[in-house]
Amino acid sequence: MLAKEELQVIWKALCSKLLNKPVIYFFGLATYGNIGDIAISIASEAFILQNSKRVLITINDSVSVRLAKVLRHFVTENDCVVFQGGGNMGNIYQIIESERENVFREFNHTNALQIQLPSSVNFNAIDEKDEDLNLIYDKVHVFTREAASYAEANKLSLGMRYLVPDIVFSLANTMPGLFSNVFKEKDSKIKRILVIRRQDEERVISEGFDQLVSSLRVNSDFDVTFTDTVIEVPNLSVRTDEFRKKLLSAKLSEIEKADIVITDRLHGMILALLSKIPVVAFDNSTHKIRSTCRQWLKDYPDLYFLESNQSVNVDDLRKWYSSSNQSRPNLYSDFEQLTNLLKDRN
């Protein structure tokens, strides 16, 4: 039996079809407590609404495959099918990749525009000539978010390939009210340090990270606190835009209290920079941070990037902090290919 949430989606799709209104079906919205993925859902929805006049219908990840089997009968060539982006395209996170592939497989027979939103691509031990994978993504416009992912998508011939930033960067333009715009008076002294460190399979042993944090914790000049962008909520409980924004706003409030953020989380880095908080960023096992820094944030003054085996001493950290300018990265123009694609069929 279909749940109320699924019936509401089908009803909205049916009404749009009867009124001859083109639709964007946005599949795969995060229902779990990963603030990075929650931010991606929010940013993607805001980006679509700003750049397309179609009716937007959002579908949570846990019901995406079931609803795709129904909605495939509603879709026309004027509609668009998109799937949430992030760091889970590939076989590291097999459950989400399976959802994505099964959704796109349902629409292979249609002429609807199909878009994979900006993602990191990590297909380990996959044959470059994997015919099933090529068939699934054959009609899909695959947006990657770093050069390494773009290269892998090209190697695997995944649909039509593009390179753009992580969609969360667009929040600075589509939802600027999420972030505090109060300029924080500062001098060369750092007091409040927030450490955002991952605890999952992408974490690497980082002597540099450990060394830096240890040196800061024993120094009475600093107030060091710890958090993560993965939070504890009941599984599959994050099902509404309102709840997603509440969780994201709470994490942003925590970040905005800091003078600097130290992190190996991609979205810990991005959300801090959008909040005008300087960041010391360490790479992780999938190199998403390194690739993002090199591709989109090269020479950015409020970012101090370190490989996992590197570190920085306290004096150099203070010197860097004193030269930071609390600026917010503006990469919106780099989304032009995605913007144009969404607008093409308005």
Side-chain angles (χ1 to χ4, degrees), residues 80 180 216 243 300:
C80 177
S180 172
L216 295 171
F243 194 24
Y300 186 69

Side-chain angles (χ1 to χ4, degrees), residues 197-310:
R197 194 166 193 186
R198 65 187 319 133
Q199 304 294 329
D200 60 11
E201 54 266 54
E202 292 186 42
R203 176 171 174 164
V204 295
I205 297 173
S206 174
E207 293 181 4
F209 200 129
D210 294 337
Q211 179 183 331
L212 175 58
V213 173
S214 295
S215 66
L216 295 171
R217 292 185 74 183
V218 299
N219 192 319
S220 61
D221 289 343
F222 307 118
D223 176 14
V224 182
T225 57
F226 294 82
T227 190
D228 195 1
T229 51
V230 170
I231 60 174
E232 292 188 11
V233 293
N235 191 35
L236 305 180
S237 66
V238 188
R239 310 198 70 84
T240 65
D241 288 346
E242 182 181 9
F243 194 24
R244 290 187 188 96
K245 290 174 183 175
K246 179 181 179 180
L247 294 176
L248 177 57
S249 294
K251 185 58 63 175
L252 287 172
S253 295
E254 187 178 4
I255 289 171
E256 288 169 353
K257 291 182 176 72
D259 294 320
I260 67 169
V261 163
I262 302 173
T263 188
D264 61 351
R265 284 278 190 187
L266 176 64
H267 290 102
M269 178 185 77
I270 294 174
L271 292 172
L273 292 177
L274 292 179
S275 302
K276 300 183 180 179
I277 307 299
V279 176
V280 178
F282 285 84
D283 203 17
N284 58 28
S285 65
T286 58
H287 309 301
K288 291 183 289 193
I289 290 183
R290 178 203 297 164
S291 298
T292 298
C293 292
R294 289 179 176 177
Q295 185 73 39
W296 308 112
L297 298 168
K298 188 177 180 180
D299 301 323
Y300 186 69
D302 286 7
L303 175 65
Y304 199 127
F305 171 74
L306 293 164
E307 300 285 355
S308 58
N309 61 347
Q310 295 178 317

Side-chain angles (χ1 to χ4, degrees), residues 5-21:
E5 172 187 324
E6 297 169 272
L7 292 172
Q8 288 173 336
V9 168
I10 294 169
W11 175 251
K12 189 172 181 180
L14 179 60
C15 290
S16 298
K17 188 172 181 64
L18 291 173
L19 295 172
N20 201 30
K21 292 183 177 180

Side-chain angles (χ1 to χ4, degrees), residues 80-145:
C80 177
V81 173
V82 304
F83 200 95
Q84 161 134 343
N88 49 39
M89 187 174 182
N91 49 18
I92 295 179
Y93 300 97
Q94 294 184 355
I95 293 175
I96 297 177
E97 178 58 27
S98 177
E99 289 174 358
R100 181 187 351 265
E101 292 180 12
N102 284 325
V103 166
F104 282 129
R105 189 181 281 113
E106 292 296 331
F107 297 96
N108 250 338
H109 71 291
T110 74
N111 291 319
L113 176 66
Q114 298 179 56
I115 299 173
Q116 171 56 54
L117 292 172
S119 300
S120 294
V121 181
N122 292 288
F123 284 97
N124 295 327
I126 291 288
D127 190 334
E128 294 179 25
K129 297 180 181 179
D130 189 310
E131 293 182 2
D132 187 46
L133 201 62
N134 296 153
L135 183 61
I136 291 168
Y137 289 105
D138 181 52
K139 295 182 178 181
V140 181
H141 296 263
V142 177
F143 283 83
T144 62
R145 58 185 189 178

